[in-house]
Amino acid sequence: MAREQAPVSSLVLAILGLLSEQPRSGYDLRKVFATTAMGQFSDSPGAVYPALKRCAKLGWLRSETHNSGSLRPRQVFSLTARGRTALAALLSRPVMRRDLERRPDELLLRFAFSGGILGRRGARRFLTGYLREVEASLADLRGQAKSIGKIPPCVRLAMEHGIEGYETDARWARRALKEL
Amino acid sequence: MAREQAPVSSLVLAILGLLSEQPRSGYDLRKVFATTAMGQFSDSPGAVYPALKRCAKLGWLRSETHNSGSLRPRQVFSLTARGRTALAALLSRPVMRRDLERRPDELLLRFAFSGGILGRRGARRFLTGYLREVEASLADLRGQAKSIGKIPPCVRLAMEHGIEGYETDARWARRALKEL
DNA sequence: CGATACATGTAACCGGTTACATGATTTT
DNA sequence: AAAATCATGTAACCGGTTACATGTATCG
């Protein structure tokens, strides 16, 4: 009786993952997005604060207010039990080809958090799915590269970029599977 | 007196680039997005047809109508001179760090088309800028990886994925520079 | 004749971007 | 005292997603 999973943006996934590590305020989250390797996500208030509100409304987050007398109280958010369940469900989704092509960063984000939420088993399951899709895409790209006849050098180089990127992804996934 | 460049979506860039090669209908474009390595772009009619209309309104595209008597005339679009100029301006934009982090696919798309529109000089200029930003990001990521102390294995592996990806990008760019 | 591919479009929804607004606290 | 940083928020805009709507042409 699995409930349908509402589509969740990468930003929400990042927020849930970060809050699963420790409670943070909206501003804390924005700083993470602005200054760390998670710079792919928006640190703009117009994205972060509404996202936090949506998650709170879904019951995934609770907030604790500091300086409640102040006009600008600081709100610190943390994951609820339901939020943790929702995060686990999001992280457990099978790796789809579409994700690999359209939002590869989100996939790596899922992997980074899956260790803490799903454990080694979950992380390994992710990696096998990831490797499967990478290899499928690689085969596809190689096939296309062969079947196209004469193409301009820049187009050929761009395709080779894609192929080499997937090869690197596959090597990484195999190594990660050995390490875990 | 360079006019300000309106922000242009990746989809529009892809459309302009494809139409610079040959005239195509909206359906043709959708097929390209649905079946080739450009699958990162939306093949949904709700994205493609409005994008074509916007470009036509900007004077970047002209359309030729076949079967004009029919209720469903087929419209074939091609780049106007102004469209080609706009595309050249888009492809000439310097490579920004933000693009590398947020829309790497769009960068490669720009490179793929720059050969035909900007010539070898333009393609080489792109590659040097790309390499510069990749190396900067790489240094940044390595620094972060070092400065963080103990991190969970999955997080470390995810960071290594990023580093190895950039290393591959840099190798590719150096090779491409040699080849061009 | 039914299914599939061809072919174009609209409408509601959603969420990210940009810009603006507000005010407290800390640093120089 | 001014500037920077901390901290939260709103509103307009834009464009992609999804779903729906419509009709033709081709093939088995």
PDB file of all heavy atoms in Angstrom, chain B residues 27 30 45 49 53 72-75 102, chain C residues 5-11 16-18:
ATOM      1  N   TYR B  27       8.144  19.101 -34.347  1.00  0.00           N
ATOM      2  CA  TYR B  27       8.127  17.650 -34.144  1.00  0.00           C
ATOM      3  C   TYR B  27       9.501  17.047 -34.393  1.00  0.00           C
ATOM      4  O   TYR B  27       9.941  16.156 -33.667  1.00  0.00           O
ATOM      5  CB  TYR B  27       7.090  17.016 -35.064  1.00  0.00           C
ATOM      6  CG  TYR B  27       6.784  15.587 -34.736  1.00  0.00           C
ATOM      7  CD1 TYR B  27       5.936  15.278 -33.681  1.00  0.00           C
ATOM      8  CD2 TYR B  27       7.334  14.556 -35.472  1.00  0.00           C
ATOM      9  CE1 TYR B  27       5.654  13.962 -33.363  1.00  0.00           C
ATOM     10  CE2 TYR B  27       7.057  13.241 -35.158  1.00  0.00           C
ATOM     11  CZ  TYR B  27       6.218  12.952 -34.110  1.00  0.00           C
ATOM     12  OH  TYR B  27       5.932  11.640 -33.798  1.00  0.00           O
ATOM     13  N   ARG B  30      11.520  17.670 -31.369  1.00  0.00           N
ATOM     14  CA  ARG B  30      11.129  16.777 -30.285  1.00  0.00           C
ATOM     15  C   ARG B  30      11.715  15.386 -30.487  1.00  0.00           C
ATOM     16  O   ARG B  30      12.138  14.730 -29.536  1.00  0.00           O
ATOM     17  CB  ARG B  30       9.609  16.705 -30.198  1.00  0.00           C
ATOM     18  CG  ARG B  30       8.974  17.991 -29.681  1.00  0.00           C
ATOM     19  CD  ARG B  30       7.464  17.895 -29.683  1.00  0.00           C
ATOM     20  NE  ARG B  30       7.013  16.783 -28.870  1.00  0.00           N
ATOM     21  CZ  ARG B  30       5.900  16.092 -29.096  1.00  0.00           C
ATOM     22  NH1 ARG B  30       5.108  16.428 -30.097  1.00  0.00           N
ATOM     23  NH2 ARG B  30       5.576  15.101 -28.315  1.00  0.00           N
ATOM     24  N   PRO B  45       5.660  18.659 -25.856  1.00  0.00           N
ATOM     25  CA  PRO B  45       5.122  19.740 -26.693  1.00  0.00           C
ATOM     26  C   PRO B  45       4.930  21.027 -25.900  1.00  0.00           C
ATOM     27  O   PRO B  45       5.094  22.116 -26.442  1.00  0.00           O
ATOM     28  CB  PRO B  45       3.793  19.172 -27.182  1.00  0.00           C
ATOM     29  CG  PRO B  45       3.477  18.037 -26.281  1.00  0.00           C
ATOM     30  CD  PRO B  45       4.769  17.501 -25.804  1.00  0.00           C
ATOM     31  N   TYR B  49       6.960  23.797 -28.319  1.00  0.00           N
ATOM     32  CA  TYR B  49       6.199  24.731 -29.164  1.00  0.00           C
ATOM     33  C   TYR B  49       6.194  26.144 -28.598  1.00  0.00           C
ATOM     34  O   TYR B  49       6.408  27.109 -29.344  1.00  0.00           O
ATOM     35  CB  TYR B  49       4.796  24.184 -29.418  1.00  0.00           C
ATOM     36  CG  TYR B  49       4.810  22.927 -30.271  1.00  0.00           C
ATOM     37  CD1 TYR B  49       4.516  21.698 -29.742  1.00  0.00           C
ATOM     38  CD2 TYR B  49       5.156  23.000 -31.611  1.00  0.00           C
ATOM     39  CE1 TYR B  49       4.552  20.541 -30.514  1.00  0.00           C
ATOM     40  CE2 TYR B  49       5.186  21.857 -32.401  1.00  0.00           C
ATOM     41  CZ  TYR B  49       4.886  20.622 -31.842  1.00  0.00           C
ATOM     42  OH  TYR B  49       4.932  19.494 -32.622  1.00  0.00           O
ATOM     43  N   LYS B  53       7.737  29.569 -30.407  1.00  0.00           N
ATOM     44  CA  LYS B  53       6.979  30.810 -30.556  1.00  0.00           C
ATOM     45  C   LYS B  53       7.743  32.001 -29.997  1.00  0.00           C
ATOM     46  O   LYS B  53       7.745  33.080 -30.584  1.00  0.00           O
ATOM     47  CB  LYS B  53       5.633  30.681 -29.828  1.00  0.00           C
ATOM     48  CG  LYS B  53       4.544  30.086 -30.679  1.00  0.00           C
ATOM     49  CD  LYS B  53       3.170  30.406 -30.086  1.00  0.00           C
ATOM     50  CE  LYS B  53       2.070  29.792 -30.956  1.00  0.00           C
ATOM     51  NZ  LYS B  53       0.750  29.907 -30.329  1.00  0.00           N
ATOM     52  N   ARG B  72      -4.012  21.004 -39.666  1.00  0.00           N
ATOM     53  CA  ARG B  72      -2.766  20.824 -38.919  1.00  0.00           C
ATOM     54  C   ARG B  72      -1.585  21.071 -39.846  1.00  0.00           C
ATOM     55  O   ARG B  72      -0.896  20.156 -40.248  1.00  0.00           O
ATOM     56  CB  ARG B  72      -2.681  19.406 -38.360  1.00  0.00           C
ATOM     57  CG  ARG B  72      -3.643  19.113 -37.274  1.00  0.00           C
ATOM     58  CD  ARG B  72      -3.154  19.671 -35.972  1.00  0.00           C
ATOM     59  NE  ARG B  72      -4.293  20.165 -35.211  1.00  0.00           N
ATOM     60  CZ  ARG B  72      -4.223  20.546 -33.949  1.00  0.00           C
ATOM     61  NH1 ARG B  72      -3.084  20.515 -33.320  1.00  0.00           N
ATOM     62  NH2 ARG B  72      -5.270  21.007 -33.333  1.00  0.00           N
ATOM     63  N   PRO B  73      -1.362  22.341 -40.211  1.00  0.00           N
ATOM     64  CA  PRO B  73      -0.249  22.606 -41.123  1.00  0.00           C
ATOM     65  C   PRO B  73       1.070  22.310 -40.440  1.00  0.00           C
ATOM     66  O   PRO B  73       1.214  22.522 -39.240  1.00  0.00           O
ATOM     67  CB  PRO B  73      -0.386  24.102 -41.410  1.00  0.00           C
ATOM     68  CG  PRO B  73      -1.113  24.657 -40.241  1.00  0.00           C
ATOM     69  CD  PRO B  73      -2.025  23.576 -39.773  1.00  0.00           C
ATOM     70  N   ARG B  74       2.002  21.815 -41.220  1.00  0.00           N
ATOM     71  CA  ARG B  74       3.337  21.537 -40.689  1.00  0.00           C
ATOM     72  C   ARG B  74       4.194  22.785 -40.846  1.00  0.00           C
ATOM     73  O   ARG B  74       4.304  23.356 -41.923  1.00  0.00           O
ATOM     74  CB  ARG B  74       3.933  20.372 -41.468  1.00  0.00           C
ATOM     75  CG  ARG B  74       5.342  20.006 -41.084  1.00  0.00           C
ATOM     76  CD  ARG B  74       5.826  18.833 -41.954  1.00  0.00           C
ATOM     77  NE  ARG B  74       7.258  18.856 -42.120  1.00  0.00           N
ATOM     78  CZ  ARG B  74       8.102  18.210 -41.330  1.00  0.00           C
ATOM     79  NH1 ARG B  74       7.651  17.489 -40.340  1.00  0.00           N
ATOM     80  NH2 ARG B  74       9.405  18.268 -41.546  1.00  0.00           N
ATOM     81  N   GLN B  75       4.783  23.199 -39.735  1.00  0.00           N
ATOM     82  CA  GLN B  75       5.585  24.416 -39.771  1.00  0.00           C
ATOM     83  C   GLN B  75       7.065  24.079 -39.647  1.00  0.00           C
ATOM     84  O   GLN B  75       7.473  23.471 -38.663  1.00  0.00           O
ATOM     85  CB  GLN B  75       5.216  25.325 -38.605  1.00  0.00           C
ATOM     86  CG  GLN B  75       4.125  26.322 -38.928  1.00  0.00           C
ATOM     87  CD  GLN B  75       3.858  27.217 -37.738  1.00  0.00           C
ATOM     88  OE1 GLN B  75       3.046  26.894 -36.889  1.00  0.00           O
ATOM     89  NE2 GLN B  75       4.571  28.317 -37.680  1.00  0.00           N
ATOM     90  N   ARG B 102      26.076  24.384 -12.321  1.00  0.00           N
ATOM     91  CA  ARG B 102      24.630  24.234 -12.383  1.00  0.00           C
ATOM     92  C   ARG B 102      24.140  23.639 -13.697  1.00  0.00           C
ATOM     93  O   ARG B 102      23.112  22.971 -13.717  1.00  0.00           O
ATOM     94  CB  ARG B 102      23.948  25.601 -12.186  1.00  0.00           C
ATOM     95  CG  ARG B 102      24.372  26.307 -10.911  1.00  0.00           C
ATOM     96  CD  ARG B 102      23.488  25.951  -9.733  1.00  0.00           C
ATOM     97  NE  ARG B 102      22.313  26.772  -9.654  1.00  0.00           N
ATOM     98  CZ  ARG B 102      22.087  27.702  -8.716  1.00  0.00           C
ATOM     99  NH1 ARG B 102      22.981  27.929  -7.789  1.00  0.00           N
ATOM    100  NH2 ARG B 102      20.963  28.373  -8.699  1.00  0.00           N
TER     101      ARG B 102
ATOM    102  P    DA C   5       4.771   3.655 -32.904  1.00  0.00           P
ATOM    103  OP1  DA C   5       6.017   2.851 -32.904  1.00  0.00           O
ATOM    104  OP2  DA C   5       4.254   4.216 -31.640  1.00  0.00           O
ATOM    105  O5'  DA C   5       4.981   4.867 -33.922  1.00  0.00           O
ATOM    106  C5'  DA C   5       5.304   4.597 -35.288  1.00  0.00           C
ATOM    107  C4'  DA C   5       4.947   5.793 -36.140  1.00  0.00           C
ATOM    108  O4'  DA C   5       3.513   6.039 -36.069  1.00  0.00           O
ATOM    109  C3'  DA C   5       5.616   7.101 -35.705  1.00  0.00           C
ATOM    110  O3'  DA C   5       6.232   7.680 -36.845  1.00  0.00           O
ATOM    111  C2'  DA C   5       4.468   7.961 -35.172  1.00  0.00           C
ATOM    112  C1'  DA C   5       3.298   7.436 -35.987  1.00  0.00           C
ATOM    113  N9   DA C   5       2.005   7.669 -35.369  1.00  0.00           N
ATOM    114  C8   DA C   5       1.590   7.300 -34.118  1.00  0.00           C
ATOM    115  N7   DA C   5       0.351   7.658 -33.836  1.00  0.00           N
ATOM    116  C5   DA C   5      -0.072   8.314 -34.978  1.00  0.00           C
ATOM    117  C6   DA C   5      -1.290   8.948 -35.333  1.00  0.00           C
ATOM    118  N6   DA C   5      -2.330   9.012 -34.517  1.00  0.00           N
ATOM    119  N1   DA C   5      -1.353   9.509 -36.563  1.00  0.00           N
ATOM    120  C2   DA C   5      -0.299   9.450 -37.373  1.00  0.00           C
ATOM    121  N3   DA C   5       0.895   8.879 -37.159  1.00  0.00           N
ATOM    122  C4   DA C   5       0.931   8.334 -35.930  1.00  0.00           C
ATOM    123  P    DC C   6       7.064   9.024 -36.718  1.00  0.00           P
ATOM    124  OP1  DC C   6       8.157   8.934 -37.702  1.00  0.00           O
ATOM    125  OP2  DC C   6       7.344   9.284 -35.293  1.00  0.00           O
ATOM    126  O5'  DC C   6       6.016  10.119 -37.224  1.00  0.00           O
ATOM    127  C5'  DC C   6       5.551  10.045 -38.579  1.00  0.00           C
ATOM    128  C4'  DC C   6       4.531  11.131 -38.820  1.00  0.00           C
ATOM    129  O4'  DC C   6       3.386  10.925 -37.955  1.00  0.00           O
ATOM    130  C3'  DC C   6       5.030  12.553 -38.510  1.00  0.00           C
ATOM    131  O3'  DC C   6       4.794  13.382 -39.628  1.00  0.00           O
ATOM    132  C2'  DC C   6       4.222  12.981 -37.287  1.00  0.00           C
ATOM    133  C1'  DC C   6       2.936  12.181 -37.511  1.00  0.00           C
ATOM    134  N1   DC C   6       2.132  11.965 -36.269  1.00  0.00           N
ATOM    135  C2   DC C   6       0.827  12.459 -36.217  1.00  0.00           C
ATOM    136  O2   DC C   6       0.372  13.091 -37.180  1.00  0.00           O
ATOM    137  N3   DC C   6       0.086  12.255 -35.105  1.00  0.00           N
ATOM    138  C4   DC C   6       0.600  11.581 -34.078  1.00  0.00           C
ATOM    139  N4   DC C   6      -0.166  11.392 -33.004  1.00  0.00           N
ATOM    140  C5   DC C   6       1.931  11.057 -34.116  1.00  0.00           C
ATOM    141  C6   DC C   6       2.657  11.275 -35.229  1.00  0.00           C
ATOM    142  P    DA C   7       5.580  14.740 -39.821  1.00  0.00           P
ATOM    143  OP1  DA C   7       5.305  15.233 -41.172  1.00  0.00           O
ATOM    144  OP2  DA C   7       6.973  14.545 -39.379  1.00  0.00           O
ATOM    145  O5'  DA C   7       4.869  15.697 -38.750  1.00  0.00           O
ATOM    146  C5'  DA C   7       3.646  16.322 -39.104  1.00  0.00           C
ATOM    147  C4'  DA C   7       3.029  17.023 -37.939  1.00  0.00           C
ATOM    148  O4'  DA C   7       2.361  16.105 -37.052  1.00  0.00           O
ATOM    149  C3'  DA C   7       3.949  17.790 -36.987  1.00  0.00           C
ATOM    150  O3'  DA C   7       4.087  19.126 -37.483  1.00  0.00           O
ATOM    151  C2'  DA C   7       3.193  17.751 -35.657  1.00  0.00           C
ATOM    152  C1'  DA C   7       1.989  16.881 -35.953  1.00  0.00           C
ATOM    153  N9   DA C   7       1.588  16.017 -34.838  1.00  0.00           N
ATOM    154  C8   DA C   7       2.309  15.027 -34.234  1.00  0.00           C
ATOM    155  N7   DA C   7       1.682  14.435 -33.246  1.00  0.00           N
ATOM    156  C5   DA C   7       0.462  15.084 -33.185  1.00  0.00           C
ATOM    157  C6   DA C   7      -0.664  14.943 -32.352  1.00  0.00           C
ATOM    158  N6   DA C   7      -0.738  14.057 -31.366  1.00  0.00           N
ATOM    159  N1   DA C   7      -1.725  15.769 -32.575  1.00  0.00           N
ATOM    160  C2   DA C   7      -1.651  16.672 -33.553  1.00  0.00           C
ATOM    161  N3   DA C   7      -0.649  16.896 -34.415  1.00  0.00           N
ATOM    162  C4   DA C   7       0.388  16.065 -34.164  1.00  0.00           C
ATOM    163  P    DT C   8       4.759  20.271 -36.566  1.00  0.00           P
ATOM    164  OP1  DT C   8       5.106  21.370 -37.482  1.00  0.00           O
ATOM    165  OP2  DT C   8       5.758  19.691 -35.664  1.00  0.00           O
ATOM    166  O5'  DT C   8       3.513  20.764 -35.684  1.00  0.00           O
ATOM    167  C5'  DT C   8       2.364  21.246 -36.350  1.00  0.00           C
ATOM    168  C4'  DT C   8       1.321  21.643 -35.347  1.00  0.00           C
ATOM    169  O4'  DT C   8       0.917  20.486 -34.561  1.00  0.00           O
ATOM    170  C3'  DT C   8       1.792  22.690 -34.327  1.00  0.00           C
ATOM    171  O3'  DT C   8       1.048  23.885 -34.500  1.00  0.00           O
ATOM    172  C2'  DT C   8       1.536  22.041 -32.962  1.00  0.00           C
ATOM    173  C1'  DT C   8       0.543  20.930 -33.289  1.00  0.00           C
ATOM    174  N1   DT C   8       0.596  19.790 -32.336  1.00  0.00           N
ATOM    175  C2   DT C   8      -0.516  19.521 -31.589  1.00  0.00           C
ATOM    176  O2   DT C   8      -1.548  20.159 -31.671  1.00  0.00           O
ATOM    177  N3   DT C   8      -0.384  18.470 -30.713  1.00  0.00           N
ATOM    178  C4   DT C   8       0.733  17.670 -30.536  1.00  0.00           C
ATOM    179  O4   DT C   8       0.732  16.759 -29.726  1.00  0.00           O
ATOM    180  C5   DT C   8       1.865  18.003 -31.373  1.00  0.00           C
ATOM    181  C7   DT C   8       3.120  17.190 -31.274  1.00  0.00           C
ATOM    182  C6   DT C   8       1.746  19.035 -32.226  1.00  0.00           C
ATOM    183  P    DG C   9       1.556  25.229 -33.850  1.00  0.00           P
ATOM    184  OP1  DG C   9       0.955  26.354 -34.563  1.00  0.00           O
ATOM    185  OP2  DG C   9       3.010  25.166 -33.645  1.00  0.00           O
ATOM    186  O5'  DG C   9       0.857  25.108 -32.425  1.00  0.00           O
ATOM    187  C5'  DG C   9      -0.538  25.301 -32.408  1.00  0.00           C
ATOM    188  C4'  DG C   9      -1.139  24.717 -31.187  1.00  0.00           C
ATOM    189  O4'  DG C   9      -0.666  23.399 -30.895  1.00  0.00           O
ATOM    190  C3'  DG C   9      -0.857  25.417 -29.866  1.00  0.00           C
ATOM    191  O3'  DG C   9      -1.631  26.600 -29.786  1.00  0.00           O
ATOM    192  C2'  DG C   9      -1.329  24.364 -28.866  1.00  0.00           C
ATOM    193  C1'  DG C   9      -1.287  23.061 -29.679  1.00  0.00           C
ATOM    194  N9   DG C   9      -0.597  21.973 -29.010  1.00  0.00           N
ATOM    195  C8   DG C   9       0.657  21.462 -29.236  1.00  0.00           C
ATOM    196  N7   DG C   9       0.956  20.449 -28.473  1.00  0.00           N
ATOM    197  C5   DG C   9      -0.173  20.281 -27.673  1.00  0.00           C
ATOM    198  C6   DG C   9      -0.456  19.342 -26.650  1.00  0.00           C
ATOM    199  O6   DG C   9       0.266  18.445 -26.219  1.00  0.00           O
ATOM    200  N1   DG C   9      -1.722  19.534 -26.114  1.00  0.00           N
ATOM    201  C2   DG C   9      -2.614  20.499 -26.511  1.00  0.00           C
ATOM    202  N2   DG C   9      -3.789  20.542 -25.897  1.00  0.00           N
ATOM    203  N3   DG C   9      -2.385  21.367 -27.479  1.00  0.00           N
ATOM    204  C4   DG C   9      -1.146  21.216 -28.004  1.00  0.00           C
ATOM    205  P    DT C  10      -1.417  27.530 -28.526  1.00  0.00           P
ATOM    206  OP1  DT C  10      -1.896  28.861 -28.923  1.00  0.00           O
ATOM    207  OP2  DT C  10      -0.053  27.364 -27.983  1.00  0.00           O
ATOM    208  O5'  DT C  10      -2.420  26.917 -27.443  1.00  0.00           O
ATOM    209  C5'  DT C  10      -3.730  26.501 -27.829  1.00  0.00           C
ATOM    210  C4'  DT C  10      -4.441  25.989 -26.592  1.00  0.00           C
ATOM    211  O4'  DT C  10      -3.872  24.708 -26.199  1.00  0.00           O
ATOM    212  C3'  DT C  10      -4.300  26.914 -25.379  1.00  0.00           C
ATOM    213  O3'  DT C  10      -5.560  26.971 -24.729  1.00  0.00           O
ATOM    214  C2'  DT C  10      -3.225  26.233 -24.528  1.00  0.00           C
ATOM    215  C1'  DT C  10      -3.426  24.761 -24.855  1.00  0.00           C
ATOM    216  N1   DT C  10      -2.208  23.913 -24.779  1.00  0.00           N
ATOM    217  C2   DT C  10      -2.209  22.819 -23.967  1.00  0.00           C
ATOM    218  O2   DT C  10      -3.166  22.494 -23.286  1.00  0.00           O
ATOM    219  N3   DT C  10      -1.048  22.082 -23.970  1.00  0.00           N
ATOM    220  C4   DT C  10       0.100  22.343 -24.704  1.00  0.00           C
ATOM    221  O4   DT C  10       1.075  21.613 -24.636  1.00  0.00           O
ATOM    222  C5   DT C  10       0.039  23.525 -25.535  1.00  0.00           C
ATOM    223  C7   DT C  10       1.233  23.893 -26.358  1.00  0.00           C
ATOM    224  C6   DT C  10      -1.092  24.240 -25.530  1.00  0.00           C
ATOM    225  P    DA C  11      -5.810  28.051 -23.617  1.00  0.00           P
ATOM    226  OP1  DA C  11      -7.222  28.473 -23.764  1.00  0.00           O
ATOM    227  OP2  DA C  11      -4.714  29.046 -23.630  1.00  0.00           O
ATOM    228  O5'  DA C  11      -5.673  27.201 -22.280  1.00  0.00           O
ATOM    229  C5'  DA C  11      -6.482  26.045 -22.088  1.00  0.00           C
ATOM    230  C4'  DA C  11      -6.276  25.542 -20.674  1.00  0.00           C
ATOM    231  O4'  DA C  11      -5.121  24.670 -20.647  1.00  0.00           O
ATOM    232  C3'  DA C  11      -6.001  26.643 -19.654  1.00  0.00           C
ATOM    233  O3'  DA C  11      -6.670  26.325 -18.440  1.00  0.00           O
ATOM    234  C2'  DA C  11      -4.485  26.638 -19.512  1.00  0.00           C
ATOM    235  C1'  DA C  11      -4.154  25.151 -19.730  1.00  0.00           C
ATOM    236  N9   DA C  11      -2.833  24.912 -20.319  1.00  0.00           N
ATOM    237  C8   DA C  11      -2.150  25.695 -21.200  1.00  0.00           C
ATOM    238  N7   DA C  11      -0.978  25.216 -21.558  1.00  0.00           N
ATOM    239  C5   DA C  11      -0.888  24.032 -20.849  1.00  0.00           C
ATOM    240  C6   DA C  11       0.118  23.042 -20.781  1.00  0.00           C
ATOM    241  N6   DA C  11       1.257  23.102 -21.460  1.00  0.00           N
ATOM    242  N1   DA C  11      -0.112  21.978 -19.974  1.00  0.00           N
ATOM    243  C2   DA C  11      -1.260  21.921 -19.287  1.00  0.00           C
ATOM    244  N3   DA C  11      -2.272  22.784 -19.275  1.00  0.00           N
ATOM    245  C4   DA C  11      -2.015  23.824 -20.083  1.00  0.00           C
ATOM    246  P    DG C  16      12.450  24.593  -6.291  1.00  0.00           P
ATOM    247  OP1  DG C  16      12.890  23.199  -6.388  1.00  0.00           O
ATOM    248  OP2  DG C  16      12.180  25.210  -4.966  1.00  0.00           O
ATOM    249  O5'  DG C  16      13.493  25.509  -7.090  1.00  0.00           O
ATOM    250  C5'  DG C  16      13.787  25.179  -8.439  1.00  0.00           C
ATOM    251  C4'  DG C  16      14.147  26.422  -9.224  1.00  0.00           C
ATOM    252  O4'  DG C  16      12.943  27.187  -9.492  1.00  0.00           O
ATOM    253  C3'  DG C  16      15.109  27.378  -8.510  1.00  0.00           C
ATOM    254  O3'  DG C  16      16.102  27.787  -9.432  1.00  0.00           O
ATOM    255  C2'  DG C  16      14.199  28.528  -8.053  1.00  0.00           C
ATOM    256  C1'  DG C  16      13.146  28.548  -9.150  1.00  0.00           C
ATOM    257  N9   DG C  16      11.844  29.088  -8.732  1.00  0.00           N
ATOM    258  C8   DG C  16      11.084  28.675  -7.667  1.00  0.00           C
ATOM    259  N7   DG C  16       9.959  29.330  -7.557  1.00  0.00           N
ATOM    260  C5   DG C  16       9.974  30.237  -8.604  1.00  0.00           C
ATOM    261  C6   DG C  16       9.018  31.214  -8.997  1.00  0.00           C
ATOM    262  O6   DG C  16       7.927  31.491  -8.475  1.00  0.00           O
ATOM    263  N1   DG C  16       9.434  31.926 -10.135  1.00  0.00           N
ATOM    264  C2   DG C  16      10.624  31.705 -10.795  1.00  0.00           C
ATOM    265  N2   DG C  16      10.853  32.466 -11.859  1.00  0.00           N
ATOM    266  N3   DG C  16      11.526  30.794 -10.446  1.00  0.00           N
ATOM    267  C4   DG C  16      11.134  30.099  -9.343  1.00  0.00           C
ATOM    268  P    DT C  17      17.237  28.825  -9.021  1.00  0.00           P
ATOM    269  OP1  DT C  17      18.446  28.457  -9.769  1.00  0.00           O
ATOM    270  OP2  DT C  17      17.265  28.960  -7.535  1.00  0.00           O
ATOM    271  O5'  DT C  17      16.678  30.185  -9.613  1.00  0.00           O
ATOM    272  C5'  DT C  17      16.427  30.276 -11.017  1.00  0.00           C
ATOM    273  C4'  DT C  17      16.203  31.735 -11.378  1.00  0.00           C
ATOM    274  O4'  DT C  17      14.880  32.140 -10.945  1.00  0.00           O
ATOM    275  C3'  DT C  17      17.198  32.703 -10.735  1.00  0.00           C
ATOM    276  O3'  DT C  17      17.720  33.557 -11.742  1.00  0.00           O
ATOM    277  C2'  DT C  17      16.361  33.436  -9.666  1.00  0.00           C
ATOM    278  C1'  DT C  17      14.946  33.366 -10.240  1.00  0.00           C
ATOM    279  N1   DT C  17      13.835  33.325  -9.238  1.00  0.00           N
ATOM    280  C2   DT C  17      12.749  34.171  -9.382  1.00  0.00           C
ATOM    281  O2   DT C  17      12.651  34.984 -10.273  1.00  0.00           O
ATOM    282  N3   DT C  17      11.777  34.014  -8.438  1.00  0.00           N
ATOM    283  C4   DT C  17      11.774  33.126  -7.374  1.00  0.00           C
ATOM    284  O4   DT C  17      10.827  33.085  -6.584  1.00  0.00           O
ATOM    285  C5   DT C  17      12.940  32.277  -7.277  1.00  0.00           C
ATOM    286  C7   DT C  17      13.030  31.295  -6.152  1.00  0.00           C
ATOM    287  C6   DT C  17      13.907  32.406  -8.203  1.00  0.00           C
ATOM    288  P    DT C  18      18.903  34.558 -11.410  1.00  0.00           P
ATOM    289  OP1  DT C  18      19.718  34.712 -12.625  1.00  0.00           O
ATOM    290  OP2  DT C  18      19.513  34.149 -10.127  1.00  0.00           O
ATOM    291  O5'  DT C  18      18.119  35.926 -11.157  1.00  0.00           O
ATOM    292  C5'  DT C  18      17.037  36.284 -12.000  1.00  0.00           C
ATOM    293  C4'  DT C  18      16.330  37.494 -11.431  1.00  0.00           C
ATOM    294  O4'  DT C  18      15.306  37.075 -10.481  1.00  0.00           O
ATOM    295  C3'  DT C  18      17.240  38.476 -10.680  1.00  0.00           C
ATOM    296  O3'  DT C  18      17.140  39.735 -11.327  1.00  0.00           O
ATOM    297  C2'  DT C  18      16.694  38.484  -9.239  1.00  0.00           C
ATOM    298  C1'  DT C  18      15.267  37.989  -9.418  1.00  0.00           C
ATOM    299  N1   DT C  18      14.684  37.240  -8.263  1.00  0.00           N
ATOM    300  C2   DT C  18      13.390  37.509  -7.860  1.00  0.00           C
ATOM    301  O2   DT C  18      12.693  38.344  -8.386  1.00  0.00           O
ATOM    302  N3   DT C  18      12.946  36.744  -6.808  1.00  0.00           N
ATOM    303  C4   DT C  18      13.650  35.766  -6.128  1.00  0.00           C
ATOM    304  O4   DT C  18      13.133  35.147  -5.201  1.00  0.00           O
ATOM    305  C5   DT C  18      14.995  35.526  -6.600  1.00  0.00           C
ATOM    306  C7   DT C  18      15.828  34.477  -5.937  1.00  0.00           C
ATOM    307  C6   DT C  18      15.443  36.268  -7.638  1.00  0.00           C
TER     308       DT C  18
END
